[in-house]
Amino acid sequence: MAKQRTDGHTPLRPLRIPDDEWKALGAYVGDRERTRVVREFIRWYLRWPDAKAPEPSRAKEAVYAPEEPSDG
């Protein structure tokens, strides 16, 4: 069940997404825009009126998260 928020925001929903996919999405759309893209996808997938699919990557190749430096 979602945690209820009383300050006018949307309730928080846990969503499991692998780290590499979440980081790659953040690398493409920006860390603060990932939720917007997920919401757009859900509205489009449910075929809500006037919903549009999120803009796909304009990259010619797949978008991956930047490699994190290793400690060794």
Side-chain angles (χ1 to χ4, degrees):
M1 183 180 211
K3 296 179 182 179
Q4 297 299 314
R5 305 267 311 257
T6 58
D7 56 1
H9 292 279
T10 305
L12 298 173
R13 310 266 185 224
L15 184 65
R16 293 180 188 222
I17 299 174
D19 284 340
D20 59 336
E21 294 174 12
W22 193 246
K23 288 176 184 177
L25 182 60
Y28 179 70
V29 300
D31 289 339
R32 299 180 59 91
E33 294 295 315
R34 291 181 281 208
T35 300
R36 176 189 57 80
V37 171
V38 171
R39 286 181 184 158
E40 286 177 1
F41 173 78
I42 291 170
R43 291 173 185 142
W44 170 79
Y45 190 83
L46 294 173
R47 299 175 187 226
W48 284 11
D50 300 321
K52 295 181 178 151
E55 274 296 312
S57 172
R58 291 179 290 279
K60 293 181 181 178
E61 297 179 16
V63 177
Y64 295 98
E67 290 291 324
E68 304 225 355
S70 63
D71 292 337

